[in-house]
Each structure stands twice: as C-alpha cells, then as structure tokens.
Amino acid sequence: MARKRGFNSSGDEFSPESYGREEMLYSAGRRDTAQFKVGQRWVSEMEPELGLGKITSTQSRFVEISFHGGADKRRYSKENAPLLRVQFGPNSHIELKNGKKLLVLKTEEKDQELFYTTKEGVVAESELSDSMRAAGPLDRLMAGEFDPLSAFTLRYDAQKLKSVIENSNALGFTGPRIQLIPHQLYIAQQVAARYKRRVLLADEVGLGKTIEACLILHRLILTAKVNRVLITVPNALVHLWFVELLRKFNLTFKIFDEQYLNGIEDKECNPFLTEQFVLCTTDLLVKNTIAAQQALNAKWDLLVVDEVHHAREGSDFFRLLEKLTLTVSDVLFLSATPEHYGNREHFARLQLLDSARYGEYDTFLKEMKFHSQIAAVTGKILDGNELTEEEVEFLTTLSASHKTISAEEIRTASSAKETTRDEMVATLLDLFGVGRAIFRNTRANIGGFPSRTVMVKPLQANKSVKERVIREYKFDSEPVPSDTKISLSADPRIDYIVSILKEFKDQKMVLICTTKEKAVAIDAALKKKISVDTALFHEDMTLIQRDRNAAWFSEEDGARLLLCSEIGSEGRNFQFAHHLILFDLPHNPSLLEQRIGRLDRIGQKGPIIIHLPVIIDTPYSVLARWYNEGLELLETSFAGSFEVYERVREELREVIAAVIKGSEKEELLEKLIAHTFRVKTEIAERLQSSRDRLLEQHSFRPLKAKKLIDLIRKTEKSKELERVVMSLLKEQGIFAEQTGNRTYKLWADAFGEKELPGIRESRPVITFDRSTALHREDFEFITMDHPSVRGLFDLYLGSASGNCTLVQVKGKKQKLILETVFVIECNAPLSLNTSRFLPPEPVRIAVDQSMNDCTDEINALLSEDKLVQLKTHPILSNEHLKMLFPEMVRSAEEVAFDISSNRIKRARQEISKSLGNEIDRFNYLRDLNESVSEQELEAVRKEKDELIEAVDGAVLRLDALRLIILHQG
C-alpha cells in the first residue's frame, strides 16, 4: 500500500515544516479519529503499538520521535512520516507529567502549540504525559453517544483474539505462505529465540536457506526484536529475494542499486537512513565506496548476507563484512558450501560471527577431529545400533565429569525408545557440539525428495541454426545478448517440444531458457505448430502479471506449458508439475540447480522428468555431457557443484571454444569429463565427513519441530480468526462473497479508498486455508501474522467503534448495570514482547447502581437475542443518575484491579521461572561448552529484570462500556 502523509487536526496535510516543537505529542500509525480529531482514518502501515511520542530531532529531511520515554525511537522522512498530531477536544481527559488528570473544557492553538482550558487553569501541551491514554468510553456515555450492540460485541471479541495472538508462540511462523517443513521451522525457532543471533545457515541446495532466513526475520520483526534490516545478495539473486520476501512474507524491501542511488536528488542525505528494510547487491557495497560507508553509518539491527562463501579473507567483500559485523548486533550468513575455499576460509568467516568462540585456527582443526569421534557414536545411538565397549567407555568418560548421562544409560541406548535416544543425543550435542554458530542439513538426512529421470535428445540442425545458437551463447561473466529479432520456427528443439506435448497429454510442463526474448520466440514458434495454452513468465512482466500467469498454470484446466526466462523463474516453485524442459543450458551449475529446483523441492509428489533437447556441435551439447557424465548433476543434486565448476572452468571454456571454432573437441571433452568426475568425487568425500553428520544432528530435532508445527496447525484450524476478520472487514465497508473453502472475494463501492496493507485492488481474493494459498499465489493468505489482520485490529481497537453501547433487557426488577471492559497494558518497549507473559487480555466486570459486583449474575442475561439495542433512554436525562456512572466505573476498576494484580503476579512467576530456567541453563552450559558467551547470559539477566519491571508497572485501561437497563416485562 502506498504510504500516505500525516494529517493535522483539521484534516489538512502536514507540511514538513509542521514538525518542530519538541513538546508536541505525535502518534505513530493508525489511531482513533475521534480521539485525535484527524480527517483521515487510515494513515499508514506502521507501528500503532508505539502509542504517543515526542520529537527529539528535526534534521534535514527527517524527524525523529521518541516513544516509551526514549526506549523506542523511530526516524521518519518528514514528507512521508506516518504520524498524527495528538489533539484532545472538549470533555476529554488529559494527564499531566505529574500524573494529575484533568477534564478539558476548551482547546486553543497559539504559535503552533496547543493549550487546554480546564477547571484548574490553562495547560500547555508541553505539560502533558506521553504515557497517557486518551479517555473515550466514559466521555461518550456521559454525552449519550452509543454504538450498535454488534459493535460492542465485535470489539470485545477482537480484544480477546488480539490477546491470544500476541501471546502465541507461533507468532511470526504462522503467516508465511510456505509449506510447514520441519527442519526449516526448527532452525527458525531456535535462532529467533536466542539473545545473540549470529549464525551461518548452511543447508544444502533445495532445503530452503532463504526461507529459513526469512522466517527468522519475520519472527523478529513481528516481535519487535529488529526494526532496521540490511540484506546483501549477489546480483542474480536480488529479484529472488525481493519476490520471496514480498509474496511469501508480506515484507516490502527497498532495492538499492546504482540507478536508484544516482536518482536521489538530495546528495547530502544518507539514503540508507530513509528506509527500514533495504535489499542491495553485494557489488554495490563492494564497488561503491560511498554507498558502503553510508551503509556502515546507518546502524542496522540485522544483517543478512547470501552466498557468503564468496567473501574470501583479504578480499574487498571480506573487509566490508569485517566492518559491518562489528556494527550490527544480529547477523545471518547463508551458504550451501561454507567450506567452498577450504577450512581456513570457512574459519575466517566464522570468526566474523563470533571471534570469541573461534579464536585459533589450530584449535578449530582439533575440534573438527574431536567432533568426528562424537558424531560416529551419536550417529549409532540415533540409528538404534549397539555401541562397542570402546564407544561406551568413550562417552562414559566424557559425560562422567558433568554427571549428565550414566554409564548404564549409554550402554542400553540402542534398545531405548526413539524419544529417549533423541534426548540423549541432544544432551551430548549441548555439551560437546559444534558450537551455536552453524546450522546445516543435507538432502540425505532430511529426505522427501523426488527421483529424476533425464531424457537427453541430440538433434541435428542446419548450418544457419547452428550459427545462431553459437552466436547467442556467451560464457561465464559475459552478458547474454538479447535475441529480439530471432525466429525459432526452423529450430529442431521446437519440433521436439511439440512431440513431447503430444506424448504426455494433459501433463503440465515448465520450460526454462536463458532470456525473455527467447521465451517469447518459443511461444510464437509453438503457436504455429500446435494448439496449446501457454503462459509466459519473465522479468519484464509485473509481479501481478506473473502471479496471474502462475495461477493460470496451476489450475487444472489452465495453461499446460509455462515458458520462463532465467530470471523470471526465480523465487517460484511448481511442485505440482513433473516435466521440466531445458531449452538451453547455463554454464554455471548453480543456475542449473536453480532451474531444476523449481520442481525438485520438498513437497514434490512424483518423479521429475527432465527433457533436454540438444543441438549437436554447439556449446549446449558440450554442457549436456559435462553436466550429465562429469558432474552427474541432472539426475542428482550436489552441494559442491560450483566448487567443481571453479576448478575446471578454464578446461570447460577451452572445450566450448573448440566447438565454436569448429575444431576437434572429442579428446578435450573426454579429458574434461574424467577430470570433473575426479574432482567431484574428492569434494563429495570431504562433504560427507562425519563432522557433517554431527552438524545435521545439531541442526534438526524432529520432536521440537513437530510441537511448533502442531501449534501452527491448531492456530490455523481455529475459525475464530476468520469470523472476527470478516466482521472487521464489513465494518470497514468491505464486503465478501465466499467462493471456496475458507476463501472469499472482497468488494467495496470504492475499493481503492478501503486500502489495507497486503490487500490490494489487484488481489481481492483472500483465503484462510494454507493449501489453497499455496496453490493459488494470486490469493492473499490471511493468518494472524498478516499485516491486514493487524491493520484491521488497529483500525477498530484504535477507534471509538464499539466502546460504548446502550441496551435494555427484561429482568425480575428494575435495575441499572454498567458492564465494563478493561485491558491490562504494559507501557514498555516493544522489543521486550511483554505479551508473552502478560498479554493485553480484556477484563470484564459488571456493577449495579449500588456498586455491587454482578458479573456472574448478568452472564445468563446477556445472550444477544434477549438484548434490545437503544439509541437513548429517559434515564440519561437524569443528571443525578448520570453522576453515578463515574463512580460505577471506579467500583468496577477496583474489582478489575484485584484480577489484574493476580495476573501480574502470575506473569512475574512465569518470567522468573522461564528466564530463571534459561539463566540456569546458560550457567550450566557455560561450564561445559565455551560456545555459550557471557554476553548472552548477561542479556538474559537484563531481559528478566526489565520484564519484571514492565509487568509491575502494568496499568488498567478502560476500553469499553455497556450500559444495561433492566426493566420488568
């Protein structure tokens, strides 16, 4: 959604000059229109939970606002700040810095400062407390302003549901549009739960390192652990990351490249400070020294680096990371081949993550050898194989000094239950594991991948076709030329594609080629020879167009053939298709694996058939044999393929050059294939060492992953979220028509004016069902994590809607009952995530005119079909009776206070138990394993103290009132 500007009390736009006086109070994001007298209800997507804040700086184009007494600070562009000037109208209650509360009689503005007239005199806005809450329900009750009964019910239901959401351990893991793959969720949960998140994600190709990093990022953002993120990736992966973040995680990153930086008019500003989430190429930061320095000065919370193995010690890239990792608290490195350039380079990058843990290279090598011994034994325990006497003695000696596992438990481990064996190995890994910096899973230990069948078809072609194919091919870093004027009607590969489309009737196929021009030419050539529905998919299409074509391809009666360019296929997975056509071949094996990875992923239900039509005596015929016979990469995945490629690259270039020149190539090709196979075997043996087995054991514990997945599925099955969200949409004037299982098409009289983050006019279909969302990428997947859900809650609960209603019901005698809803709130930094222990749970209390608690008494009365909604009642004209309302609220608050005190006490106990256990565990592990740092231990202690202080300071806020008039029928 396009961010809108702030509005002042008259509904006029703020000019940048409006920000000036530090005494002014501002609200970040969506707030109550009645409370703050603003002309626009929706302001932006950003951070309504921050509450009220004060200006601390107005430099150049930016304004800095301090919230929670300085614990949370935000910097916004003046032109685009999601801020509202707070103004309280007559009959509103205000709170001063000394805690005194006053009633506003009149509001005036002089020299851009607001002044409030009260019974005790005039108060300037500089005297107001920035922790106060604007009064609402009682003021409206006294003024006789009432909402429909359904609005009150919806507000209460929304408050209850919001409390459940904010207290959920699945927060941040439920919303992504992904399959619930255990090892990915396990890693994300483990890393996100840490106090120091500096790790290397090193899963093999196809296991989802990008998804793991995005899951960690999503969880940290939703729990306010990070606010500013820098992601740096190779050039070819920028679009993949951007699409994954946007389409699967609803996270919008700003892409920084040379073109964007050159287009910035204000050359004096640091562009990296204007965005919270930045995605840029590694080349930009390595080659542009000014951009690199600006990025270093921008103070990030989290740094993510993909393909980090390219950062060789002493290189410009490595020196850049040395500086960045010193200034950023949390760091995620990603690489499928962390030992790409050998153990010394791998160790150097680990030092960037944790220099205290990885101090000496010789010590690191000794640990590797020791880990191999541990892995051999723990592997046998996991597999249920009997240990030898030497192995029993080895483990007994190791664990004896720590008194963790008895000799008898070790001796009988092979016959123990699987869960017992898992727990034993988990304990051993905690004591003697590879450290906390690396996570690595392999295809072998995860399983679930489909088989591949390769059908290579050598084809003869005339001289002109061969010359065109040779002309279009470029090796390595040379740019692939655009083929805007080519015609493929005479290309024998077109006839081959036609033949397999006829042979495999009704089966869907994905075709990938190098350029978008070639994809368009293939489409045109096929249409002349066969009637088949095709869908194009390339980088020049908008995301919306790609979504629609991918959705059409996924439909049972949709397109049969999807034609993708190299870049256009990035970030998309088509597990429902089983046929992959490689119209040409990239020289880089990483790109080939990326192509195959569109189909060959966890979740693929059937075998994959790879069709490879190859024109003889062209560079592609060389690559076909090299990939198939040397690297053996077409039928199986191999994590070290790029390392092999780098070692034989010059030989490969020599063979391809011979083909292009028309000289004899067979002897050179056979030599290349043999050399490639030897190098691959050598690297494979190294990667399959026992140390990798120990890493796998450390990186995935199925039982823990299952608990999280069960929680996510339980959350998704709940219909309460669906019911409340649909009601909130209706409140916003957005209507729905059910079109499938938990799937709705949205519409409104003026949809563009009803914008919600993540729900766009171009994507008006929403679904609460994960399988539907995975099948239909053009639908919005709605969960408790979705920004539109948070937006709807903020819009409704931040407004006055439903906070005051008047009803009548028959009773045994005439009576006046005031039903109150209080919310327990902590005025604490968002990063503390106090909702884990003390969620903003509503407390519902009812009192009668005699100040008696009658909450239990009215429960039976309050079935909705018995209540009669009123717009007014004669009792409201009785000024004497009206004076009872504030007293009734105070009486209800006393009862609610006792309840909140018990909840606060319980929260304190939970904090002490949970974080106390964590402190005990850290202390214990520090005595056994030096990979646990003192910094982490200190961070836990500090968080425990801050959490207890925050919950001790929790307050009750009156959120809603329902005046119930009992009358004798």
Side-chain angles (χ1 to χ4, degrees):
M1 162 182 167
R3 190 181 298 164
K4 299 179 181 177
R5 298 183 182 183
F7 292 82
N8 64 17
S9 59
S10 303
D12 303 320
E13 282 194 54
F14 277 141
S15 65
E17 292 74 26
S18 298
Y19 307 107
R21 298 183 63 90
E22 295 187 6
E23 295 82 4
M24 291 181 181
L25 287 179
Y26 285 89
S27 165
R30 307 172 284 274
R31 303 307 296 176
D32 177 10
T33 55
Q35 244 175 25
F36 303 126
K37 305 287 192 278
V38 297
Q40 292 290 328
R41 205 171 166 144
W42 183 263
V43 178
S44 86
E45 305 172 19
M46 300 180 64
E47 309 178 297
E49 301 89 351
L50 286 170
L52 307 186
K54 288 191 175 182
I55 293 175
T56 56
S57 175
T58 56
Q59 297 178 358
S60 184
R61 297 168 50 231
F62 305 101
V63 56
E64 185 178 87
I65 309 289
S66 171
F67 301 92
H68 299 128
D72 285 305
K73 291 183 179 180
R74 297 292 184 270
R75 184 172 180 167
Y76 308 113
S77 166
K78 289 181 181 178
E79 293 286 352
N80 214 18
L83 301 170
L84 298 176
R85 175 84 178 277
V86 177
Q87 178 174 329
F88 299 94
N91 298 317
S92 296
H93 287 87
I94 57 175
E95 182 179 336
L96 306 187
K97 290 177 180 177
N98 60 13
K100 194 170 186 178
K101 296 180 181 179
L102 302 171
L103 180 69
V104 176
L105 302 176
K106 186 172 70 171
T107 302
E108 293 180 299
E109 183 173 355
K110 297 177 183 178
D111 298 327
Q112 293 189 341
E113 185 173 9
L114 294 172
F115 293 89
Y116 300 101
T117 301
T118 72
K119 289 182 178 180
E120 297 189 18
V122 177
V123 174
E125 67 177 324
S126 58
E127 300 176 57
L128 300 182
S129 167
D130 60 0
S131 63
M132 69 176 161
R133 297 287 182 176
L138 183 57
D139 292 329
R140 296 187 68 204
L141 175 61
M142 299 294 284
E145 299 176 7
F146 301 108
D147 296 314
L149 173 60
S150 59
F152 177 89
T153 304
L154 178 57
R155 186 181 188 90
Y156 182 58
D157 290 344
Q159 285 286 15
K160 288 192 296 182
L161 184 55
K162 184 183 180 184
S163 173
V164 171
I165 290 172
E166 294 188 7
N167 188 232
S168 174
N169 288 326
L171 184 66
F173 299 132
T174 300
R177 188 197 299 262
I178 59 171
Q179 292 180 323
L180 301 179
I181 297 175
H183 78 273
Q184 294 176 350
L185 286 161
Y186 172 77
I187 289 175
Q189 184 185 46
Q190 292 301 304
V191 176
R194 291 184 179 179
Y195 294 85
K196 184 181 180 183
R197 295 164 283 266
R198 297 173 70 95
V199 300
L200 167 64
L201 304 178
D203 282 1
E204 279 188 351
V205 174
L207 293 182
K209 293 182 297 301
T210 305
I211 294 297
E212 291 165 5
C214 291
L215 275 168
I216 295 166
L217 171 62
H218 194 242
R219 168 75 175 181
L220 295 178
I221 289 174
L222 290 196
T223 54
K225 295 296 183 183
V226 301
N227 293 297
R228 290 180 46 75
V229 182
L230 174 65
I231 300 177
T232 173
V233 303
N235 293 13
L237 301 182
V238 169
H239 291 91
L240 183 149
W241 272 87
F242 179 80
V243 170
E244 292 280 272
L245 288 161
L246 178 64
R247 186 171 53 85
K248 293 182 178 177
F249 294 86
N250 291 298
L251 294 173
T252 303
F253 272 69
K254 182 68 178 181
I255 296 178
F256 274 34
D257 54 23
E258 290 286 358
Q259 182 180 0
Y260 173 74
L261 294 181
N262 290 336
I264 295 175
E265 294 181 5
D266 186 355
K267 300 301 182 183
E268 305 225 349
C269 85
N270 183 344
F272 288 91
L273 287 171
T274 64
E275 301 288 338
Q276 284 183 277
F277 304 144
V278 173
L279 171 62
C280 69
T281 65
T282 303
D283 280 354
L284 175 70
L285 299 182
V286 171
K287 297 177 180 179
N288 187 326
T289 55
I290 295 176
Q293 190 58 51
Q294 288 173 330
L296 284 168
N297 294 340
K299 296 181 181 179
W300 307 97
D301 299 322
L302 173 64
L303 169 69
V304 182
V305 184
D306 199 4
E307 302 293 341
V308 75
H309 57 268
H310 292 304
R312 302 194 66 174
E313 196 171 12
S315 68
D316 290 341
F317 187 12
F318 188 88
R319 284 193 289 269
L320 172 69
L321 292 185
E322 277 185 308
K323 295 176 183 177
L324 275 172
T325 52
L326 286 175
T327 63
V328 182
S329 172
D330 293 347
V331 180
L332 302 180
F333 283 170
L334 282 71
S335 173
T337 55
E339 296 169 333
H340 185 83
Y341 293 108
N343 286 327
R344 186 67 186 83
E345 294 283 353
H346 176 45
F347 172 74
R349 288 185 291 273
L350 290 177
Q351 279 190 310
L352 297 181
L353 292 173
D354 191 346
S355 58
R357 169 68 177 87
Y358 299 98
E360 299 292 335
Y361 180 56
D362 289 342
T363 304
F364 176 68
L365 292 177
K366 291 177 183 177
E367 285 182 351
M368 287 177 62
K369 185 176 180 181
F370 176 67
H371 293 151
S372 297
Q373 294 177 280
I374 294 287
V377 182
T378 54
K380 291 181 73 172
I381 293 174
L382 288 173
D383 294 338
N385 296 327
E386 190 170 349
L387 301 179
T388 65
E389 281 301 318
E390 290 79 7
E391 289 167 337
V392 171
E393 184 178 352
F394 172 64
L395 284 186
T396 302
T397 302
L398 285 176
S399 57
S401 59
H402 307 302
K403 300 178 181 179
T404 51
I405 306 173
S406 69
E408 183 60 26
E409 287 174 317
I410 294 170
R411 193 178 304 279
T412 59
S414 60
S415 58
K417 294 180 180 179
E418 183 179 356
T419 53
T420 303
R421 298 200 305 272
D422 285 341
E423 289 171 2
M424 183 181 295
V425 169
T427 301
L428 290 169
L429 288 174
D430 271 343
L431 301 180
F432 312 109
V434 294
R436 294 157 59 81
I438 314 171
F439 287 87
R440 178 171 177 79
N441 288 293
T442 63
R443 286 178 170 237
N445 83 299
I446 295 299
F449 288 89
S451 61
R452 299 181 193 168
T453 301
V454 181
M455 301 175 68
V456 180
K457 182 67 175 178
L459 299 169
Q460 291 288 351
N462 61 41
K463 183 179 179 181
S464 64
V465 170
K466 282 187 180 179
E467 287 177 349
R468 179 186 53 73
V469 172
I470 290 173
R471 191 168 59 251
E472 80 184 35
Y473 181 80
K474 295 292 181 183
F475 188 84
D476 204 13
S477 60
E478 299 172 84
V480 176
S482 296
D483 305 309
T484 52
K485 296 181 180 180
I486 65 170
S487 170
L488 297 176
S489 56
D491 195 310
R493 290 173 291 184
I494 298 298
D495 291 329
Y496 176 76
I497 295 168
V498 170
S499 70
I500 62 175
L501 283 169
K502 291 178 179 179
E503 179 182 353
F504 298 97
K505 293 181 179 179
D506 301 325
Q507 295 191 40
K508 292 184 180 291
M509 300 183 180
V510 177
L511 181 150
I512 302 179
C513 59
T514 314
T515 65
K516 62 182 181 297
E517 292 83 8
K518 198 180 293 185
V520 172
I522 294 169
D523 189 36
L526 286 174
K527 281 181 165 53
K528 294 178 181 179
K529 298 196 174 189
I530 188 174
S531 177
V532 61
D533 286 330
T534 60
L536 283 167
F537 200 92
H538 57 72
E539 60 272 25
D540 275 4
M541 301 169 68
T542 66
L543 287 176
I544 295 169
Q545 289 172 320
R546 290 188 229 178
D547 275 345
R548 287 174 176 169
N549 280 4
W552 183 37
F553 178 60
S554 71
E555 292 172 357
E556 190 174 343
D557 57 349
R560 273 195 64 201
L561 179 63
L562 186 70
L563 301 166
C564 301
S565 67
E566 197 82 75
I567 298 176
S569 67
E570 288 179 353
R572 298 290 174 146
N573 302 322
F574 304 105
Q575 290 100 320
F576 53 85
H578 306 298
H579 293 265
L580 174 64
I581 304 171
L582 299 175
F583 190 80
D584 50 27
L585 287 168
H587 59 272
N588 187 330
S590 298
L591 289 176
L592 176 62
E593 292 204 89
Q594 186 170 293
R595 286 187 181 189
I596 299 172
R598 300 309 99 211
L599 277 66
D600 182 9
R601 305 191 72 80
I602 292 177
Q604 173 63 261
K605 302 301 181 185
I608 294 170
I609 301 175
I610 299 175
H611 304 274
L612 181 52
V614 179
I615 297 176
I616 296 171
D617 293 331
T618 66
Y620 299 127
S621 62
V622 173
L623 287 171
R625 285 198 61 191
W626 180 65
Y627 278 130
N628 207 25
E629 300 171 35
L631 267 177
E632 299 179 315
L633 199 59
L634 292 170
E635 290 190 348
T636 58
S637 178
F638 175 53
S641 61
F642 189 80
E643 185 177 354
V644 177
Y645 165 68
E646 289 204 322
R647 287 173 61 174
V648 304
R649 173 164 35 192
E650 293 307 314
E651 288 179 67
L652 178 61
R653 183 193 288 270
E654 186 180 348
V655 177
I656 290 176
V659 172
I660 293 173
K661 291 176 182 178
S663 54
E664 182 58 45
K665 66 168 190 316
E666 286 305 316
E667 185 177 344
L668 287 174
L669 180 56
E670 294 295 338
K671 183 180 176 182
L672 168 68
I673 290 172
H675 184 210
T676 299
F677 187 79
R678 288 195 302 273
V679 173
K680 183 209 167 182
T681 302
E682 171 198 327
I683 293 172
E685 288 176 354
R686 190 187 78 224
L687 293 178
Q688 291 302 318
S689 67
S690 58
R691 182 171 177 270
D692 279 345
R693 180 75 191 271
L694 188 65
L695 272 172
E696 293 163 13
Q697 296 165 11
H698 159 74
S699 301
F700 178 40
R701 300 182 188 176
L703 294 179
K704 285 191 175 182
K706 183 179 182 300
K707 289 181 180 179
L708 177 57
I709 290 175
D710 288 345
L711 176 60
I712 293 171
R713 286 179 174 152
K714 181 181 178 182
T715 302
E716 289 179 343
K717 287 178 182 178
S718 171
K719 298 295 179 69
E720 184 67 7
L721 177 69
E722 183 177 352
R723 183 184 69 79
V724 172
V725 166
M726 298 313 295
S727 297
L728 290 173
L729 283 170
K730 188 176 180 180
E731 282 290 318
Q732 297 303 317
I734 299 175
F735 305 97
E737 174 189 354
Q738 187 162 3
T739 59
N741 177 37
R742 307 185 72 189
T743 301
Y744 303 85
K745 182 174 183 179
L746 304 183
W747 58 277
D749 294 334
F751 197 96
E753 297 177 7
K754 304 293 183 182
E755 289 180 331
L756 292 174
I759 296 182
R760 300 180 287 277
E761 187 175 6
S762 59
R763 191 182 273 183
V765 180
I766 65 172
T767 183
F768 294 83
D769 180 66
R770 184 176 294 275
S771 61
T772 301
L774 291 173
H775 184 63
R776 291 297 304 267
E777 293 180 344
D778 56 330
F779 292 1
E780 282 297 336
F781 180 37
I782 304 299
T783 69
M784 67 181 188
D785 290 347
H786 197 281
S788 68
V789 172
R790 288 179 279 131
L792 284 167
F793 275 81
D794 293 333
L795 274 172
Y796 199 69
L797 298 178
S799 74
S801 298
N803 74 351
C804 187
T805 190
L806 175 66
V807 294
Q808 184 172 273
V809 65
K810 291 182 180 179
K812 294 180 180 178
K813 60 179 181 178
Q814 289 185 337
K815 196 173 186 179
L816 194 63
I817 294 178
L818 188 62
E819 183 184 5
T820 62
V821 178
F822 292 91
V823 176
I824 305 173
E825 291 188 338
C826 291
N827 184 29
L830 301 180
S831 58
L832 272 182
N833 192 17
T834 55
S835 294
R836 291 173 290 166
F837 304 101
L838 188 65
E841 187 178 351
V843 179
R844 178 173 154 270
I845 302 295
V847 297
D848 61 20
Q849 70 267 28
S850 300
M851 311 304 160
N852 298 316
D853 180 2
C854 55
T855 308
D856 295 334
E857 176 188 337
I858 67 165
N859 282 335
L861 284 173
L862 295 184
S863 62
E864 299 299 317
D865 58 339
K866 293 181 181 179
L867 295 176
V868 178
Q869 182 180 313
L870 301 176
K871 291 184 178 180
T872 186
H873 191 277
I875 198 173
L876 297 173
S877 301
N878 189 321
E879 292 298 325
H880 175 71
L881 285 175
K882 281 177 66 175
M883 289 301 103
L884 286 175
F885 296 157
E887 186 62 30
M888 293 170 78
V889 169
R890 282 192 288 272
S891 295
E893 187 174 17
E894 290 177 4
V895 179
F897 181 80
D898 290 338
I899 295 173
S900 68
S901 297
N902 289 331
R903 290 183 184 173
I904 290 171
K905 182 180 179 181
R906 188 170 66 235
R908 282 180 112 268
Q909 292 171 344
E910 290 176 4
I911 292 168
S912 297
K913 180 180 178 182
S914 176
L915 274 77
N917 288 343
E918 193 74 3
I919 291 170
D920 290 343
R921 178 175 175 273
F922 270 102
N923 277 320
Y924 174 66
L925 289 179
R926 268 184 56 76
D927 292 338
L928 310 174
N929 189 339
E930 62 180 7
S931 67
V932 180
S933 69
E934 176 63 32
Q935 287 178 315
E936 283 189 278
L937 182 57
E938 184 56 37
V940 186
R941 293 193 186 107
K942 182 180 177 183
E943 181 166 301
K944 177 187 173 185
D945 293 341
E946 289 178 345
L947 278 167
I948 290 177
E949 182 180 356
V951 299
D952 282 347
V955 296
L956 278 175
R957 175 178 61 83
L958 179 63
D959 185 69
L961 293 172
R962 177 158 59 178
L963 183 60
I964 305 167
I965 299 173
L966 273 66
H967 69 98
Q968 290 178 306

